């Protein structure tokens, strides 16, 4: 018997996402992932001064503004023919690195952890931690007050089997509260070099505006140290704790099996080598990335019908009244015509296969041994959480190394001249995955600006050929024990860390 389930909206993610599931014999048989609004940044950018672009695109999202700003200045670097000096490259990495750390920590604790951790465990807490006691009193009070939304954002929730280890639950809740402070520290670290977060003013073509002094380097290092302690003592152990408590989630959420990364964090001033390499895993085979193979499809999207287009020639013509098959405001990006998963798992698998980050391979091998799984099991709910946590450790250590190389009182920006006519592509990796901005300038104005965003890849609807997007495919096969409390599906979706504000831009 088939049953329809709508999760609308899916909470604890950024933006407006709905999921429609058809469940047969207790498993998801098909899924639709719907982006429910249009924003129009690509339209807003037309006709503007290109130097406004890095400011405007940062308003796409408050979680990953640095990635949009950086993709925009990379596109402009290319259009203007400018290369940042060493300090410009290093500071861009340090700003982006701090933004990764806050994003990954917030995703695990504020957005995903309550899918696993039992928040009601705090009601039995008898220890002396003041923050936990205050939280306990607040949850108790909210429950007793019989409000329609008791103890939001914690309750109500899907009633299902949560972790029953009291120590792991209490640690998880304690770290949930600490994670909010960690986010502030990561934001402070990034703001040292880009003036403010969100929506940095210091990112410009040719580098960044900040000339650094010793005090700023010391302040960044101190914040990084605190973030490192949290990642080592809380984040990675908690992810492992969840993995050991619910190991069946290494077998849930297998995606489309294709992975794409553009590469991120520049390791050299000239040339394109990045810490996390660019690459593609298609049908199990690692291959080089070829930018000409990207196209966006619109058959199932609320955009005027047309053939799949490369983003350098992309168009954004919304069609809210489009009849027939359309069900999402996301376009469907495809690589060689196929859906691609992007994000920490894609970066980690591509790096692991290529051996480009030796310390990451050691960590991944340790994880596989500790959890008694093969590398193929990482294509799962738990694999996505683990990849994010291990990536955070790599980013943290690289930030320490980049910090050591910043030279005091050296320029952070190269001179440049805005071109009258030109094009540029900024390919980068946001915390959630491969991010591309394509810019065309005519008469000193933006003629066309196209963004293809990580969550657009992951949350995409069906394509021209009717093939489902990565999260849609990951949902298929998910067991649903209780259709009134489909937490298994929510766990699959949230493991991707979707941001619909970005996805629909
Ligand atoms: Ni709004 Fe973003 C990241 C980008 S997601 S969070 O990371 O780009 O598509
Ligand atoms: Mg777009």
């Amino acid at each position: 018997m088939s049953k329809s389930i709508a999760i609308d909206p899916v909470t604890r993610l950024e933006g407006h996402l709905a999921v429609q599931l058809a469940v047969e014999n207790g498993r998801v048989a098909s899924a639709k992932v719907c982006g429910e609004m249009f924003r129009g940044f690509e339209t807003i950018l037309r006709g503007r001064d290109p130097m406004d672009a890095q400011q405007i695109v940062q308003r796409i999202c408050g979680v990953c503004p640095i990635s949009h700003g950086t993709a925009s200045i990379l596109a402009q670097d290319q259009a203007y023919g400018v290369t940042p000096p060493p300090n410009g490259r290093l500071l861009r990495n340090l700003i982006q690195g701090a933004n990764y750390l806050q994003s990954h920590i917030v995703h695990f604790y504020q957005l995903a952890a309550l899918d696993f951790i039992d928040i009601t465990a705090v009601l039995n807490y008898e220890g002396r931690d003041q923050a936990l006691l205050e939280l306990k009193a607040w949850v108790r009070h909210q429950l007793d007050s019989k409000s329609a939304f008791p103890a939001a954002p914690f309750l109500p929730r899907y009633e299902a089997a949560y972790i029953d280890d009291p120590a792991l639950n209490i640690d998880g809740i304690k770290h949930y509260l600490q994670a909010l402070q960690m986010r502030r520290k990561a934001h402070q670290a990034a703001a040292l070099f880009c003036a403010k977060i969100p929506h940095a003013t210091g990112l410009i073509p040719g580098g960044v505006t900040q000339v650094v002094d010793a005090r700023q380097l010391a302040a960044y290092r101190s914040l990084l140290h605190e973030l490192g302690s949290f990642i080592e003592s809380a984040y990675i152990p908690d992810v492992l704790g969840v993995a050991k408590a619910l190991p069946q989630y290494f077998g849930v959420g297998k995606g489309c099996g294709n992975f794409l990364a553009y590469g991120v964090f520049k390791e050299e001033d000239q040339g394109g080598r990045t810490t996390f390499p660019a690459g593609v895993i298609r049908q199990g085979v690692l291959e080089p990335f070829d930018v000409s193979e990207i196209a966006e499809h619109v058959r199932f999207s609320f955009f005027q019908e047309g053939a799949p287009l490369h983003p350098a020639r992309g168009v954004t013509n919304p069609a809210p009244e489009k009849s027939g098959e359309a069900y999402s405001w996301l376009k469907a990006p495809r690589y060689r015509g196929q859906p691609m998963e992007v994000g920490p798992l894609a970066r980690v698998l591509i790096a692991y296969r290529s051996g480009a980050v030796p310390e990451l391979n050691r960590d991944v091998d340790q994880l596989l041994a500790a959890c008694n799984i093969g590398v193929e099991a990482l294509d799962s709910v738990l694999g996505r959480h683990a990849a994010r946590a291990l990536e955070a450790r790599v980013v943290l250590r690289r930030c320490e190394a980049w910090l050591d190389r910043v030279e005091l009182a050296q320029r952070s920006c190269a001179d440049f001249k805005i071109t009258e006519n030109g094009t540029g592509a900024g390919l980068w990796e946001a915390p959630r995955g491969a991010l591309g901005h394509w810019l065309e300038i005519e008469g000193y104005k933006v003629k066309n600006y196209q963004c293809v965003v990580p969550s657009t890849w992951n949350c995409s609807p069906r394509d021209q050929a009717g093939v489902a997007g990565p999260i849609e495919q990951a949902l298929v096969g998910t067991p649903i024990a209780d259709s009134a409390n489909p937490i298994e599906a929510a766990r699959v979706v949230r493991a991707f860390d979707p941001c619909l504000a970005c996805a629909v831009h």
Side-chain angles (χ1 to χ4, degrees):
M1 197 185 84
S2 178
K3 192 169 173 55
S4 300
I5 300 176
I7 310 179
D8 183 3
V10 183
T11 56
R12 280 193 271 113
L13 50 76
E14 171 53 41
H16 305 274
L17 175 77
V19 168
Q20 296 165 7
L21 305 172
V23 177
E24 284 169 19
N25 303 318
R27 284 185 188 270
V28 175
S30 75
K32 280 186 180 170
V33 170
C34 317
E36 298 196 291
M37 71 185 288
F38 176 70
R39 297 186 69 213
F41 275 83
E42 290 161 342
T43 313
I44 291 167
L45 282 154
R46 280 184 217 145
R48 305 261 176 182
D49 184 326
M51 280 284 286
D52 289 347
Q54 74 266 19
Q55 287 306 318
I56 292 172
V57 294
Q58 287 192 70
R59 272 68 187 173
I60 288 173
C61 185
V63 186
C64 66
I66 298 303
S67 308
H68 288 290
T70 304
S72 184
I73 57 179
L74 287 172
Q76 292 182 64
D77 285 352
Q78 202 179 76
Y80 310 154
V82 59
T83 303
N87 272 8
R89 171 179 68 81
L90 293 164
L91 293 179
R92 283 182 180 179
N93 285 353
L94 289 164
I95 296 164
Q96 182 70 79
N99 188 251
Y100 263 56
L101 298 179
Q102 70 82 23
S103 183
H104 285 8
I105 290 169
V106 162
H107 172 256
F108 183 67
Y109 287 102
Q110 271 66 48
L111 302 182
L114 298 178
D115 286 345
F116 307 103
I117 298 288
D118 182 3
I119 184 71
T120 65
V122 79
L123 296 170
N124 299 321
Y125 179 66
E126 298 295 346
R128 293 195 185 172
D129 185 298
Q130 194 53 34
L132 283 175
L133 290 171
E134 282 173 25
L135 184 67
K136 174 183 176 178
W138 186 71
V139 172
R140 180 80 272 155
H141 172 76
Q142 294 285 313
L143 283 173
D144 291 346
S145 73
K146 307 247 179 305
S147 110
F149 298 102
F154 303 126
L155 300 169
R157 62 181 181 180
Y158 285 144
E159 286 310 327
Y162 289 86
I163 286 171
D164 58 13
D165 172 351
L168 181 55
N169 282 327
I170 291 298
D171 275 354
I173 297 166
K174 191 159 109 187
H175 299 152
Y176 178 105
L177 298 173
Q178 290 173 354
L180 296 167
Q181 302 307 319
M182 291 300 134
R183 179 181 221 198
R184 185 164 58 86
K185 289 177 196 298
H187 277 350
Q188 285 172 335
L192 284 163
F193 302 138
C194 67
K196 70 188 255 292
I197 293 274
H199 310 142
T201 46
L203 299 172
I204 53 164
V208 300
T209 55
Q210 188 71 44
V211 175
V212 289
D213 61 28
R215 189 193 53 84
Q216 288 163 330
L217 294 181
Y220 189 105
R221 193 181 303 282
S222 158
L223 291 162
L224 205 55
H225 183 73
E226 289 185 79
L227 288 159
S229 299
F230 184 79
I231 289 167
E232 296 301 335
S233 68
Y235 184 19
I236 292 176
D238 286 346
V239 171
L240 269 176
V242 169
K244 292 201 166 150
L246 296 167
Q248 64 271 31
Y249 275 89
F250 278 119
V252 177
K254 184 172 165 42
C256 61
N258 301 321
F259 300 93
L260 166 70
Y262 297 158
V264 69
F265 300 116
K266 290 199 189 279
E267 292 285 5
E268 51 195 20
D269 298 320
Q270 309 290 335
R273 192 168 64 83
T274 50
T275 311
F276 290 93
V280 175
I281 297 175
R282 211 161 49 97
Q283 289 148 6
V285 179
L286 179 67
E287 47 183 66
F289 163 64
D290 175 355
V291 66
S292 72
E293 293 291 346
I294 298 170
E296 288 195 300
H297 301 211
V298 294
R299 179 176 153 195
F300 289 86
S301 313
F302 293 114
F303 291 94
Q304 277 174 29
E305 206 46 66
L309 289 177
H310 187 275
R313 298 177 298 281
V315 294
T316 304
N317 293 321
E321 311 295 341
K322 188 169 167 181
S323 57
E325 306 168 305
Y327 62 87
S328 179
W329 280 102
L330 278 68
K331 295 178 187 172
R334 293 295 185 262
Y335 182 83
R336 291 190 198 272
Q338 294 180 8
M340 291 279 146
E341 175 171 345
V342 300
L345 179 62
R347 285 191 291 266
V348 164
L349 289 178
I350 289 163
Y352 184 78
R353 292 279 292 272
S354 69
V357 189
E359 70 266 34
L360 178 67
N361 281 36
R362 282 195 295 276
D363 280 354
V364 170
D365 288 336
Q366 269 181 21
L367 171 84
L368 300 180
C371 298
N372 198 20
I373 51 168
V375 69
E376 68 289 342
L378 294 180
D379 186 353
S380 63
V381 168
L382 286 175
R384 293 186 183 95
H385 288 297
R388 209 172 275 114
L390 295 184
E391 178 177 79
R393 177 187 273 161
V394 172
V395 170
L396 185 113
R397 291 189 181 153
R398 293 293 169 121
C399 282
E400 289 170 342
W402 295 321
L403 207 50
D404 286 339
R405 287 187 212 127
V406 175
E407 302 242 16
L408 291 176
Q410 294 295 311
R411 293 194 69 185
S412 311
C413 187
D415 294 331
F416 62 90
K417 218 166 140 293
I418 299 173
T419 181
E420 182 176 353
N421 300 299
T423 58
L427 301 182
W428 195 235
E429 292 274 327
R432 286 157 196 73
L435 170 66
H437 284 199
W438 280 263
L439 164 69
E440 186 180 352
I441 301 170
E442 193 178 83
Y444 296 107
K445 301 272 194 242
V446 174
K447 182 175 182 216
N448 195 14
Y449 202 105
Q450 291 285 311
C451 311
V452 183
V453 178
S455 293
T456 319
W457 286 96
N458 286 337
C459 305
S460 80
R462 283 155 175 72
D463 57 31
Q464 199 73 16
V467 176
I471 298 184
E472 294 179 333
Q473 293 195 33
L475 282 161
V476 171
T478 302
I480 305 287
D482 170 9
S483 58
N485 290 283
I487 187 154
E488 301 91 341
R491 286 169 174 160
V492 170
V493 174
R494 290 203 189 96
F496 281 87
D497 192 3
C499 173
L500 270 288
C502 277
V504 297
H505 49 273

